[in-house]
């Protein structure tokens, strides 16, 4: 996977929230023993207005129907809300992971995503994958409890940065566990980037995609075909926005954001659509 397929910003749950509320009825916590089953997960609507708010929550514009926020934030009232979780790597400020779940090379050194100073999770065995999925699953549970409609597990492509210690099969087996957990809570699940694995989305049970810069790198059609148009496209350049809008043909949800996905009102904030 080329390096352009990286997430370009981090969710900052500690930032003050400017809007609180609850999501749609599609996202409710899973049932207690003996209770009723949660509603079936619902993918975002085709061609909906999109905002990507990982740098901090703010009031969405009137054209927005779908918003993505960090798992520590609250969803926007009355909109389709996607909950971001960093599922495949340990963030520097969240290294409370057990040592055995951190990937190490043959010399015992942590394998680090140097762009973000994040240690990759060790997903090389079924036991390790289940242990990691249990921890991330608690965040997913929280997404459902807060009223989100869907979850975006980030860094699906981290195996490409593992120096050959992990492969696509490891990533997919782990993601399948997260899909099962999210679906049990009534949450839809997005594939994040990783266009080369989009063809496996039905086997894994993925409901839609979040694709960064697919316009810039002319890959929106790959996601469109695999996900039947259920694609949230985030571009960071005017040229990428133009190409994504051409590819969208009214089906895909497309937004242009600044690379730091800053909250509205901060210097450098950018948001535009097709």
């Amino acid at each position: 996977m080329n390096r352009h397929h990286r997430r370009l910003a981090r969710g900052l749950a500690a930032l003050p929230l400017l809007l609180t509320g609850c999501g749609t009825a599609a996202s409710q916590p899973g049932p207690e023993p003996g209770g009723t089953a949660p509603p079936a997960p619902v993918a975002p609507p085709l061609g909906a207005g999109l905002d990507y708010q990982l740098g901090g929550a703010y009031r969405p514009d009137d054209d927005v129907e779908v918003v993505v926020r960090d798992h520590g934030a609250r969803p926007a009232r009355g909109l389709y809300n996607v909950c971001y979780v960093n599922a495949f790597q340990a963030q520097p400020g969240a290294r409370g992971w057990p040592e055995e779940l951190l990937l190490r090379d043959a010399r015992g050194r942590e394998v680090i995503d140097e762009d973000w100073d994040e240690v990759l999770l060790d997903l090389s065995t079924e036991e390790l994958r289940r242990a990691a999925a249990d921890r991330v699953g608690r965040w997913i549970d929280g997404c459902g409890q807060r009223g989100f409609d869907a979850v975006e597990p980030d860094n699906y492509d981290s195996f490409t940065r593992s120096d050959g210690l992990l492969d696509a099969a490891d990533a997919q087996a782990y993601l399948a566990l997260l899909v099962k957990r999210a679906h049990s809570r009534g949450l839809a699940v997005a594939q994040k980037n990783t266009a080369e694995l989009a063809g496996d989305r039905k086997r894994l049970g993925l409901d839609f995609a979040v694709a960064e810069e697919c316009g810039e790198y002319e890959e929106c059609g790959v996601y469109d075909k695999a996900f039947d148009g259920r694609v949230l496209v985030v571009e960071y350049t005017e040229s990428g926005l133009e190409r994504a809008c051409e590819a969208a043909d009214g089906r895909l949800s497309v937004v242009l954001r600044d690379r730091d996905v800053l909250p509205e009102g901060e210097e450098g904030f950018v948001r535009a659509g097709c």
Side-chain angles (χ1 to χ4, degrees):
M1 174 65 76
N2 295 330
R3 295 298 292 175
H4 70 257
H5 278 144
R6 294 308 321 283
R7 171 193 63 270
L8 297 174
R10 279 283 185 233
L12 300 177
L15 290 174
L17 304 181
L18 305 182
L19 178 67
T20 62
C22 57
T24 70
S27 295
Q28 300 298 327
E32 296 296 327
T36 60
V42 177
L46 291 169
L50 172 65
D51 201 354
Y52 204 61
Q53 298 188 0
L54 298 190
Y58 54 89
R59 185 179 299 278
D61 289 343
D62 290 343
D63 67 314
V64 174
E65 299 173 68
V66 178
V67 64
V68 182
R69 289 179 173 175
D70 184 74
H71 71 89
R74 288 188 176 273
R77 183 178 291 110
L79 303 182
Y80 186 99
N81 288 271
V82 181
C83 188
Y84 170 96
V85 294
N86 187 7
F88 288 75
Q89 300 181 176
Q91 291 180 211
R95 285 193 181 172
W97 286 87
E99 288 294 316
E100 64 270 18
L101 291 181
L102 302 179
L103 186 66
R104 298 179 183 275
D105 63 19
R107 298 174 63 181
R109 299 173 301 186
E110 293 178 342
V111 179
I112 296 175
D113 174 355
E114 296 182 356
D115 284 354
W116 295 99
D117 189 29
E118 296 179 351
V119 183
L120 274 63
L121 300 184
D122 189 346
L123 307 173
S124 59
T125 71
E126 180 67 15
E127 181 180 4
L128 291 169
R129 290 191 289 268
R130 289 192 176 279
D134 182 64
R135 292 178 65 87
V136 174
R138 299 170 202 167
W139 298 340
I140 291 172
D141 293 347
C143 294
Q145 291 163 359
R146 287 184 178 89
F148 283 88
D149 300 287
V151 62
E152 174 195 337
D154 198 12
N155 286 310
Y156 183 28
D157 64 346
S158 64
F159 68 92
T160 66
R161 298 182 288 281
S162 71
D163 298 326
L165 297 173
L166 302 173
D167 59 24
D170 295 322
Q172 290 185 317
Y174 174 60
L175 184 56
L177 296 174
L178 301 182
V179 170
K180 182 177 180 180
R181 181 72 165 250
H183 282 177
S184 75
R185 300 301 188 262
L187 298 168
V189 184
Q191 172 175 317
K192 180 67 173 289
N193 298 329
T194 326
E196 70 271 28
L197 300 183
D200 293 327
R201 54 89 47 159
K202 290 184 178 179
R203 177 171 63 84
L204 298 179
L206 294 161
D207 304 290
F208 65 105
V210 176
E212 289 177 304
E213 298 196 287
C214 69
E216 184 71 20
Y217 296 96
E218 300 183 346
E219 292 181 339
C220 293
V222 175
Y223 294 104
D224 186 5
K225 180 179 180 181
F227 289 89
D228 301 319
R230 308 286 179 177
V231 185
L232 309 183
V233 178
V234 185
E235 296 292 336
Y236 301 99
T237 66
E238 292 285 350
S239 60
L241 176 67
E242 181 178 357
R243 283 195 284 268
C245 290
E246 291 175 357
D249 193 26
R251 286 164 51 84
L252 313 184
S253 296
V254 182
V255 68
L256 174 69
R257 287 301 328 264
D258 55 278
R259 290 188 181 273
D260 292 323
V261 287
L262 297 168
E264 188 174 26
E266 292 196 13
E267 184 177 358
F269 168 86
V270 173
R271 180 186 175 268
C274 295

